[in-house]
């Protein structure tokens, strides 16, 4: 049987035509899918702008299914999951991105940063710490280190916090000298409370003072440590230096200065320091300490307690009025206790301290706000004086 070449000549155009037709079908399908993908994307965006997050998530999932290689859609979807509190799904999205071999360096860093945020929001602190440390050397490094610093402060891991603070300072991200001094003060307090090691605590406080001679906290803590070791003269000298190096902190040490000044026979010097401080910055705590010093020096009570009246003439104060009334003899003894209790009740909220950063209020003074974790955000003044 002879092979007819005419069939080959006839078949070639047919095969070419079928191939061309198939390619046109593929191109048409691709165009349809490309039109549908951005349509789903814009639909999701519209839902997002209208705060319809459930519908936005569905639209973005549809867009991702149609165009699985688009990283921006994955980022949008992951962020939506995190905002919705669906942290496990957000983690899966960002881990999927990181597993892609074709992901560019910039998008890989972005996905790593998003994954760290997922872990933080989910409360998975160990995994968040690991994810944040992987951002070293990237454009997200400063932000990651600041987040790590906050984590270590909240967990009271002061050595780790100090390491990160030094790294940030070396990278030119700010001056962390004062914060490092606070870390040393925290470590000194721990050395006393947990290890009963006053020598180590003293070394830490002296190092903090050497680095930040105008800081109030290490000097005040060192004075407390010296007083606990019966070195009252050393404690007095440290408290007296507060007036020169950190005058704004005098209200915090005024009462203790009187107590130690009396014990060391330095009441006259104490009163002089307090009056000088009060003249520069009037304060109810310093005024109260002046009254205590005058009484301890033997001044007649009626004369000494006029200090409250002088303070009220300069700075109207319910706290000062309460303390004056608590010492002043009254003829009508029956009414005095009732009036005194009422004034004390009214003055109690005014005697608190308030954080200037978040408004947290406390009866005692904090170097770090328990509410917002800011350092030295409590002015050393009572609410009444703000």
């Amino acid at each position: 049987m002879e092979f007819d070449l005419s069939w080959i000549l006839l078949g070639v155009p047919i095969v070419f035509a079928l191939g061309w037709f198939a390619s046109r079908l593929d191109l048409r399908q691709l165009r349809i899918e490309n039109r549908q993908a951005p349509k789903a994307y814009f639909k999701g965006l519209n839902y997002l702008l209208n705060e319809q997050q459930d519908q936005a998530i569905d639209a973005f999932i549809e867009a991702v299914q149609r165009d699985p290689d688009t990283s921006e859609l994955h980022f949008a979807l992951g962020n939506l999951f995190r905002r919705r509190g669906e942290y496990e799904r957000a983690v899966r999205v960002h881990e999927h991105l990181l597993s892609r071999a074709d992901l560019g360096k910039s998008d890989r860093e972005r996905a790593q940063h998003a994954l760290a945020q997922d872990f933080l929001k989910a409360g998975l602190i160990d995994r968040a710490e690991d994810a944040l440390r992987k951002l070293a050397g990237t454009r997200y490094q400063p932000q990651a280190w600041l987040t790590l610093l906050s984590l270590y402060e909240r967990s009271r891991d002061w050595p780790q916090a100090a390491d990160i603070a030094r790294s940030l300072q070396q990278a030119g991200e700010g001056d962390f000298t004062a914060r490092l001094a606070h870390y040393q003060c925290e470590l000194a307090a721990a050395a006393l409370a947990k290890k009963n090691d006053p020598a180590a605590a003293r070394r830490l406080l002296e190092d903090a003072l050497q680095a930040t001679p105008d800081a109030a906290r290490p000097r005040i803590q060192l004075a407390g440590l010296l007083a606990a070791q019966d070195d009252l003269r050393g404690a007095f000298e440290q408290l007296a230096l507060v007036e020169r190096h950190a005058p704004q902190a005098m209200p915090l040490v005024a009462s203790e200065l009187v107590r130690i000044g009396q014990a060391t026979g330095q009441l006259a010097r104490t009163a002089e320091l307090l009056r000088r401080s009060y003249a520069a910055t009037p304060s109810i705590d310093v005024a109260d300490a002046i009254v205590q010093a005058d009484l301890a020096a033997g001044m007649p009570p009626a004369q000494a307690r006029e200090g409250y009246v002088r303070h009220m003439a300069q700075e109207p104060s319910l706290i000062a009025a309460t303390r004056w009334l608590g010492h002043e003899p009254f003829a009508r003894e029956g009414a005095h206790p009732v009036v005194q209790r009422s004034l004390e009740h009214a003055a109690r909220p005014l005697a608190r301290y308030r954080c200037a950063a978040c408004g947290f209020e406390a009866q005692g003074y904090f170097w770090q706000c328990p509410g917002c974790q800011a350092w030295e955000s409590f002015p050393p003044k009572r609410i009444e004086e703000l």
Side-chain angles (χ1 to χ4, degrees):
M1 181 178 178
E2 294 181 1
F3 186 75
D4 191 353
L5 292 174
S6 62
W7 286 103
I8 296 176
L9 296 173
L10 182 63
V12 169
I14 293 172
V15 171
F16 177 78
L18 289 173
W20 179 84
F21 183 71
S23 68
R24 298 300 295 175
L25 286 177
D26 288 343
L27 285 171
R28 184 182 177 189
Q29 182 65 27
L30 182 61
R31 291 193 191 99
I32 292 171
E33 290 178 356
N34 286 340
R35 282 196 298 269
Q36 288 175 340
K39 185 183 292 185
Y41 178 81
F42 288 120
K43 184 164 61 175
L45 184 60
N46 183 56
Y47 284 133
L48 192 59
L49 291 172
N50 288 298
E51 298 185 1
Q52 295 174 278
Q53 294 188 10
D54 290 335
Q55 293 89 334
I57 286 173
D58 293 338
F60 283 132
I61 289 174
E62 179 186 347
V64 167
Q65 288 171 344
R66 294 186 183 279
D67 191 6
D69 294 330
T70 304
S71 58
E72 286 297 333
L73 293 175
H74 286 79
F75 283 122
L77 192 56
N79 290 339
L80 268 175
F81 283 144
R82 185 167 64 243
R83 287 176 60 185
R84 289 276 298 166
E86 299 180 53
Y87 305 122
E88 186 177 346
R89 298 178 77 181
V91 166
R92 284 205 302 269
V93 169
H94 294 127
E95 284 183 336
H96 170 71
L97 276 171
L98 286 170
S99 68
R100 283 173 45 181
D102 63 335
L103 197 66
K105 180 182 177 182
S106 178
D107 281 345
R108 187 170 298 279
E109 293 173 358
R110 183 180 173 190
Q112 184 67 43
H113 181 248
L115 184 63
Q117 289 180 302
D118 297 337
F119 289 142
L120 280 172
K121 290 289 186 180
L124 303 173
I125 303 303
D126 291 341
R127 298 184 71 179
E129 180 184 348
D130 181 61
L132 288 166
R133 285 196 172 276
K134 289 179 180 178
L135 290 166
T138 71
R139 57 187 170 132
Y140 295 101
Q141 176 179 287
Q143 188 176 348
W145 281 356
L146 286 170
T147 305
L148 279 171
L149 188 65
S150 176
L151 288 178
Y152 291 140
E153 286 185 357
R154 287 181 180 275
S155 61
R156 304 185 71 78
D157 189 344
W158 305 117
Q160 291 268 44
D163 289 341
I164 292 291
R166 291 189 192 98
S167 298
L168 281 164
Q169 184 152 328
Q170 289 169 4
E173 295 298 328
D175 184 4
F176 291 83
T177 307
R179 191 173 291 200
L180 285 165
H182 280 295
Y183 297 161
Q184 288 175 297
C185 289
E186 293 287 350
L187 289 168
L192 285 173
K194 297 177 182 178
K195 301 177 182 178
N196 193 25
D197 189 350
R202 181 166 182 170
R203 283 194 301 272
L204 286 162
L205 293 171
E206 287 174 346
D207 288 345
L209 268 178
Q210 186 174 359
T212 55
D214 292 334
R217 185 183 183 183
R219 197 173 299 280
I220 293 171
Q221 266 184 248
L222 181 58
L225 175 61
L226 294 173
Q229 295 177 322
D230 293 327
D231 184 3
L232 295 182
R233 290 194 174 276
F236 181 86
E237 292 304 323
Q238 289 298 330
L239 292 179
L241 286 171
V242 171
E243 192 259 338
R244 182 196 307 170
H245 291 281
Q248 75 284 351
M250 278 298 290
L252 302 176
V253 303
S255 182
E256 183 70 359
L257 194 60
V258 172
R259 186 187 72 81
I260 297 178
Q262 184 177 10
T264 56
Q266 300 187 76
L267 274 174
R269 185 182 170 194
T270 301
E272 180 185 351
L273 281 170
L274 292 172
R275 286 189 166 87
R276 189 164 59 235
S277 172
Y278 184 87
T281 308
S283 162
I284 179 57
D285 289 300
V286 177
D288 188 49
I290 291 172
V291 172
Q292 294 174 31
D294 289 342
L295 287 170
M299 184 180 289
Q303 183 180 349
R305 290 159 190 159
E306 282 298 305
Y308 294 124
V309 178
R310 288 191 294 273
H311 177 74
M312 286 185 284
Q314 187 168 350
E315 300 282 340
S317 169
L318 187 59
I319 299 173
T322 304
R323 293 177 183 177
W324 173 78
L325 186 61
H327 295 287
E328 187 72 16
F330 279 86
R332 296 164 57 186
E333 293 291 336
H336 179 264
V338 177
V339 175
Q340 179 67 20
R341 282 197 303 271
S342 298
L343 283 174
E344 287 175 355
H345 178 75
R348 195 173 298 123
L350 301 176
R352 296 174 182 164
Y353 297 97
R354 178 187 292 155
C355 173
C358 71
F360 183 91
E361 294 183 5
Q363 292 290 344
Y365 185 84
F366 287 95
W367 295 103
Q368 185 184 28
C369 176
C372 66
Q373 306 300 306
W375 290 100
E376 294 191 49
S377 58
F378 279 81
K381 296 181 178 181
R382 310 290 178 166
I383 287 177
E384 183 186 60
E385 300 175 286
L386 297 176

